[in-house]
């Protein structure tokens, strides 16, 4: 799957992923009203609204990008109907041949991480049969509990040829509170990065990159430079572009000389593009077309800003 | 809810919670066969089996204990049918007036933590109406991303009078890899504990304890002693008892002088008790009665071992 990711990035020229993180506030009124008319102002109605919103955006952008990153929290907030919309979104993205990165930030003691790995990357055994639960291609993992909380994900990912991104230096303002603290003269996030290299060496793709990558926020480009140097063969998933403040020229440090090694996420900046003055000509009815234009603009900004051409 | 927890611990004399973490391997063959006969060897069949298993155990132990802690990973592994069994379990525990601690270990950037908080502790607004998604009373939280990843949970928990436990020193063998590393001469878990005190001061119960507690593994009693000293007014959720190796006398450090301040989890040791030589007389058919006896034995072991009487 890391080989497929690299191949798709090369083909599209777009080292980006669209974050499918639908807040109800982003969904145009006419989409919500139609869903509520069918299902009522219920959790089912909310789930239908975000699914229809997602579907229109996926249809408008799938040919431009290699991957999407649905954030499961945005679905979990609507309970079971929300989780059903998450699964429907994953399945539809697979139909469109998009690589699906489940932003789930799980991590627990060994047997429990094993259960999460089964549900999100692998298959559950039921009697003589086995089934995928959610079936993402990559997921995100929280490393706070250490190696034995990460290894079960790798154990499931290897035979499935799937992967993961480990939180290393996150994009949020408080990320430094623990992650930047110095341990033997080096910040915690560097120690995590060293482990990412070690964990990732167990699961390498033919393209030379590991199936185990890291999450490093675009909002900290100097740290990104150091981390790029430590994790030479690990892909970096870069949140924080667009609505969180970073722009294309902040990203130059995150790529290797081969122009690969990073995939940049934008969520709100793409899926709620029609709400920005820049794209208001599309109007709420044209929200999906506005998202397509925002993807095209993001590709241009990153290719130029990060010096990829 | 922290006041209710304290009141229920006082009334039952049982500072314990049963971890409802059903692996299919724990479920007796006759329960599985009945579920598969009805629903097939499918994810729905697996979900039905773990639900029936849970229900029998809840019925057998609910009068002895204040709280249960379902581990969501064990349900998530079976996809949507599994999550439906999780919700059914939560609802049934509420019917039995048990306090429900959702072991979900979530945590993300602010808006995303807000969505998790909405789904698990609060209500989602849909048009003019609002609904609980999962409706746990407490949840567990991963602190790696810092204050702005925790605050949204507190913001939702305060008006709901609900709470949370922050991972501080976890029970697993690798927990020291990052958590024990020294920062300005003190291990990371102590810095997290200081933050737990700070975060918890925003949301105090009438009983004198905070709604914000910490997770500290029973497998590290010396560290438990230090952490008890730092977090005087925060409840400690203690995993690692029983199957993970700790016993009653390891727990003395986790309680305050008032005999409160800690709640000890046991999962496999209770729910799969019938598989232990000690309880084999109950047989697979008596699995729920074996669980009841194991709860009674655990209460005795903790009351004596931790010097609570």
């Amino acid at each position: 799957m890391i080989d497929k990711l690299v191949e798709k990035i090369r083909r599209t020229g777009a080292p980006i992923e669209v974050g499918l993180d639908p807040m109800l506030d982003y969904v145009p009124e006419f989409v919500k009203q139609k869903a509520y008319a069918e299902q009522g102002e219920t959790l089912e109605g909310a789930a239908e609204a975000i699914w229809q919103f997602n579907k229109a955006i996926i249809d408008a952008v799938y040919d431009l990008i290699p991957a999407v990153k649905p954030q499961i929290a945005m679905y979990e907030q609507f309970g079971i109907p929300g989780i059903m919309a998450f699964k429907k979104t994953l399945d539809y993205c697979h139909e469109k041949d998009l690589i699906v990165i489940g932003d789930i930030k799980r991590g627990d003691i060994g047997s429990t991480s094993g259960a999460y790995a089964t549900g999100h990357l692998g298959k559950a055994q039921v009697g003589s049969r086995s089934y995928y639960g959610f079936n993402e291609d990559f997921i995100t993992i929280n490393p706070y509990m250490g190696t034995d909380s990460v290894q079960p994900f790798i154990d499931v990912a290897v035979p499935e040829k799937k992967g993961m991104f480990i939180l290393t230096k996150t994009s949020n303002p408080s990320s430094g509170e623990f992650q930047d603290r110095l341990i033997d003269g080096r910040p915690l996030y560097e120690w995590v990065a060293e482990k990412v290299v070690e964990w990732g060496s167990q699961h390498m793709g033919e393209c030379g990159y590991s199936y185990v990558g890291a999450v490093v926020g675009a909002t900290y480009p100097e740290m990104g430079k150091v981390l790029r140097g430590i994790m030479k063969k690990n892909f970096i998933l870069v949140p924080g572009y667009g609505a969180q403040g970073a722009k294309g020229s902040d990203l130059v440090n995150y790529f290797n000389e081969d122009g690969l090694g990073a995939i940049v996420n934008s969520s709100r900046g793409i899926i709620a593009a029609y709400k920005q003055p820049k794209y208001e000509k599309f109007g709420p009815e044209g929200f999906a077309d506005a998202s397509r234009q925002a993807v095209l603009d993001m590709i241009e900004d990153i290719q130029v800003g990060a010096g990829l051409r």
Side-chain angles (χ1 to χ4, degrees), chain A:
Chain A
M1 204 47 80
I2 190 71
D3 298 319
K4 183 172 174 184
L5 181 63
V6 164
E7 182 269 317
K8 281 180 84 87
I9 289 173
R10 284 214 169 101
R11 183 152 47 80
T12 57
I16 74 170
E17 59 186 33
V18 171
L20 295 172
D21 309 352
M23 301 294 284
L24 273 184
D25 284 352
Y26 302 167
V27 180
E29 207 52 39
F30 79 95
V31 175
K32 280 192 281 207
Q33 288 316 322
K34 183 160 183 289
Y36 296 165
E38 287 167 13
Q39 312 253 12
E41 286 184 347
T42 59
L43 293 176
E44 289 76 10
E48 175 67 14
I50 62 177
W51 154 243
Q52 293 295 346
F53 178 69
N54 282 349
K55 183 172 178 300
I57 292 171
I58 295 162
D59 285 340
V61 305
Y62 78 94
D63 59 317
L64 301 177
I65 56 171
V68 291
K69 180 172 75 64
Q71 166 54 259
I72 197 170
M74 299 306 170
Y75 304 84
E76 230 169 286
Q77 69 180 324
F78 300 114
I80 289 162
I83 302 272
M84 292 169 84
F86 177 72
K87 178 71 167 76
K88 229 162 151 175
T89 299
L90 301 186
D91 291 347
Y92 192 66
C93 292
H94 283 307
E95 265 180 51
K96 294 288 183 186
D97 200 35
L98 287 161
I99 291 171
V100 177
I101 302 168
D103 197 353
I104 64 172
K105 295 188 177 67
R106 303 300 197 249
D108 210 301
I109 65 168
S111 54
T112 307
S113 278
Y116 279 130
T118 295
H120 289 277
L121 297 177
K123 286 177 168 179
Q125 190 71 36
V126 184
S128 59
R129 308 187 63 173
S130 63
Y131 301 91
Y132 286 111
F134 290 101
N135 197 22
E136 293 101 314
D137 300 311
F138 289 84
I139 53 175
T140 55
I141 301 292
N142 187 311
Y144 184 70
M145 296 175 70
T147 294
D148 64 21
S149 73
V150 174
Q151 190 63 45
F153 290 103
I154 300 175
D155 293 342
V156 171
V158 169
E160 292 282 343
K161 293 189 182 250
K162 293 181 170 185
M164 68 208 69
F165 295 93
I166 314 286
L167 300 190
T168 302
K169 170 66 188 174
T170 57
S171 60
N172 57 314
S174 299
S175 69
E177 213 165 83
F178 302 122
Q179 296 165 26
D180 291 4
R181 297 299 301 271
L182 294 181
I183 295 164
D184 288 345
R186 300 175 70 191
L188 173 57
Y189 61 75
E190 289 190 25
W191 294 101
V192 174
E194 299 278 4
K195 283 288 174 189
V196 169
V197 173
E198 187 185 317
W199 297 328
S201 67
Q202 297 172 53
H203 190 19
M204 299 296 296
E206 290 178 13
C207 60
Y209 283 99
S210 173
Y211 283 85
V212 180
V215 176
V216 182
T219 41
Y220 301 101
E222 285 311 306
M223 298 174 186
K225 191 173 182 173
V226 174
L227 290 168
R228 174 76 286 165
I230 295 173
M231 301 183 288
K232 292 184 174 58
K233 295 179 175 177
N234 307 86
F235 250 75
I236 298 179
L237 188 166
V238 190
Y241 176 88
Q244 283 184 62
K247 50 192 188 312
S249 53
D250 294 321
L251 296 167
V252 64
N253 294 346
Y254 295 76
F255 290 91
N256 278 323
E257 284 178 14
D258 59 4
L260 290 167
I263 183 158
V264 182
N265 181 73
S266 179
S267 301
R268 201 179 349 153
I270 303 293
I271 67 173
Y274 76 100
K275 293 196 158 201
Q276 297 173 40
K278 188 174 171 187
Y279 302 109
E280 67 184 349
K281 67 174 180 195
F282 290 97
E285 295 74 21
F287 70 97
D289 295 329
S291 295
R292 183 176 176 88
Q293 188 57 50
V295 167
L296 291 167
D297 292 347
M298 180 178 172
I299 294 171
E300 177 74 13
D301 180 44
I302 288 176
Q303 284 191 346
V304 174
L308 299 180
R309 65 172 185 218

